[in-house]
């Protein structure tokens, strides 16, 4: 009868357990493919002390219990040996039919993880505290903004959820509220006051160079159109007979200069926006001034775009972002009272805020804005200040 194997402390070792000559413990097991695998620890039991100058960690028998639990629940040992980067690539590969902008966002996160050491971490070693500390490091040490971190975490959380569903891990380390971990330092987009809007539009109208963009900027301030929707408009989308703008697509230009027509940002983005007389007049002026090119550019079956660049291709959002920046720079170089940041999206905010303050029915406003959720209309875009509340209180009391 063979004697039972013991460690150097005289303790009986279980099947698969072995103590090496240097004192480290090892446990041998077989994975699902029949291949030999090993667990290592400097401690046999959780009550053992870690030898001096050795890296602390779970005891061998704690690791054995974790392995047993994983095997019982059909969780792949070692997270299937997937790294964070490999998991994200696998996850994004499953996202078929997403928008070009979404696919670009995925690639941006992949590119980042290829450079960051966190991308090389094995997924089963990532704990919730690891995930939180990493995001904090991104903000405090690497200077990443909240929106960037939000984007990165927005890909990692569903990727780890997929790993959880595939029985590769026991819990999702990114399943927590982001705002409880990193500071939201995003700049709030403020709507312009009516006086600021008036001064801005007057400045554009009177400026010899920027006046060519006046009608477009006026329309953005008075329709709530997204800039990608505006640049996608064609002459056929302006229905003068029924006084409405038909919004059923948006124009996108990718980083490799490819022009694409996509559906609006949300399903609710497909809509018809009523035109005021002033907006209608602005569209008539744009069409009247439009120089017809020798060959109309055709993008995915659409032609007759309202604004073309020097290459006779449709202007895109980036063009207008730059125009707005140049206008703001010139305005603030002339006047002591500075104009706050104005972008095409600020125009959209301002329109929504003005309509809300004027008492427009929230559901009607939601439709015009193309929001899929009424809370977006009420909470994100509506900027109400004390003077607005005061005026509304006086109005209600006068009834």
């Amino acid at each position: 009868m063979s004697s039972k194997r013991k460690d150097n402390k005289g303790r009986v070792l279980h099947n698969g357990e072995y103590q090496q000559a240097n004192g480290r413990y090892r446990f041998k097991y077989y994975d699902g493919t029949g291949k030999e695998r090993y667990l290592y620890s400097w401690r046999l039991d959780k009550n053992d002390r870690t030898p001096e100058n050795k890296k602390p960690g779970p005891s061998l028998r704690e690791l054995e219990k974790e392995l047993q639990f994983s095997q019982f629940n059909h969780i792949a040992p070692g997270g299937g040996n997937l790294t964070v980067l490999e998991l994200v690539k696998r996850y994004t590969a499953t996202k078929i039919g997403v928008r070009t902008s979404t696919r670009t966002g995925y690639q941006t996160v992949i590119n980042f993880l290829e450079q960051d050491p966190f991308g090389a971490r094995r997924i089963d070693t990532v704990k919730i505290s690891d995930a939180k500390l990493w995001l904090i490091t991104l903000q405090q040490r690497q200077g990443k903004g909240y929106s960037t971190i939000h984007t990165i975490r927005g890909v990692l959380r569903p990727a780890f959820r997929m790993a959880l569903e595939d029985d590769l891990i026991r819990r999702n380390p990114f399943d927590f509220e982001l705002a409880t971990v990193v500071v939201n330092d995003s700049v709030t987009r403020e709507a312009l006051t009516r006086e600021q809007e008036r001064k801005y539009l007057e400045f554009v109208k009177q400026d010899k160079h920027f006046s060519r963009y006046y009608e477009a900027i006026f329309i953005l301030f008075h329709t709530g159109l997204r800039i990608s929707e505006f640049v996608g408009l064609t002459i056929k989308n302006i229905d003068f007979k029924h006084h409405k703008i038909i919004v059923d697509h948006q124009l996108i230009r990718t980083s490799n200069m490819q022009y694409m027509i996509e559906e609006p940002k949300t399903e609710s983005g497909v809509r018809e926006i009523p035109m005021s007389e002033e907006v209608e007049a602005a569209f008539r002026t744009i069409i009247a001034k439009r120089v017809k090119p020798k060959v109309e550019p055709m993008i995915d079956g659409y032609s007759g775009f309202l604004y073309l660049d020097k290459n006779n291709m449709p202007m895109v959002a980036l063009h207008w972002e730059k125009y707005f920046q140049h206008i703001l720079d010139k305005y603030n170089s002339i006047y002591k009272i500075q104009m706050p940041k104005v972008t095409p999206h600020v125009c959209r905010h301002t329109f929504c805020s003005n309509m809300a303050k004027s008492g427009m029915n929230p559901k009607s406003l939601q439709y015009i804005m193309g929001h899929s959720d009424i809370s977006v209309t009420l909470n994100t875009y509506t900027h109400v200040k004390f003077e607005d509340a005061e005026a509304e209180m006086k109005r209600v009391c006068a009834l």
Side-chain angles (χ1 to χ4, degrees), residues 66-108:
E66 186 175 344
L67 173 64
Q68 187 179 34
F69 177 86
S70 297
Q71 290 177 331
F72 179 79
N73 289 281
H74 306 291
I75 297 174
N81 287 320
L82 282 179
T83 64
V84 173
L85 174 60
E86 290 169 341
L87 175 65
V88 169
K89 286 183 176 180
R90 176 182 288 194
Y91 166 72
T92 57
T94 67
K95 308 303 289 183
I96 305 299
V98 298
R99 296 175 184 272
T100 301
S101 56
T102 303
R103 179 65 60 190
T104 301
Y106 288 160
Q107 190 58 49
T108 299

Side-chain angles (χ1 to χ4, degrees), residues 319-333:
H319 287 100
W320 292 99
E321 294 284 354
K322 290 183 176 179
Y323 298 153
F324 272 81
Q325 184 60 55
H326 294 328
I327 292 170
L328 185 66
D329 290 343
K330 186 171 184 179
Y331 183 99
N332 285 338
S333 69

Side-chain angles (χ1 to χ4, degrees), residues 23 45 76 84 86 136 140 189 208 246 252 256 325 347 354:
D45 185 80
V84 173
E86 290 169 341
I136 291 172
Q140 296 184 357
R189 299 188 184 104
K208 290 183 179 180
I246 302 170
I252 303 295
N256 61 357
Q325 184 60 55
C347 294
N354 287 341

Side-chain angles (χ1 to χ4, degrees), residues 333-370:
S333 69
I334 296 175
Y335 297 101
K336 290 184 179 180
I337 299 178
Q338 301 287 282
M339 182 70 65
K341 188 174 181 63
V342 185
T343 66
H345 212 75
V346 168
C347 294
R348 179 169 159 83
H349 277 260
T350 302
F351 169 80
C352 187
S353 184
N354 287 341
M355 293 299 100
K357 292 173 183 178
S358 299
M360 177 177 284
N361 179 282
K363 293 301 290 183
S364 296
L365 184 54
Q366 177 190 0
Y367 170 79
I368 292 174
M369 296 299 293

Side-chain angles (χ1 to χ4, degrees), residues 1-7 10-15:
M1 183 176 180
S2 60
S3 60
K4 295 183 178 180
R5 289 179 299 106
K6 298 180 181 180
D7 67 359
R11 293 176 295 187
V12 175
L13 298 175
H14 300 165
N15 289 336

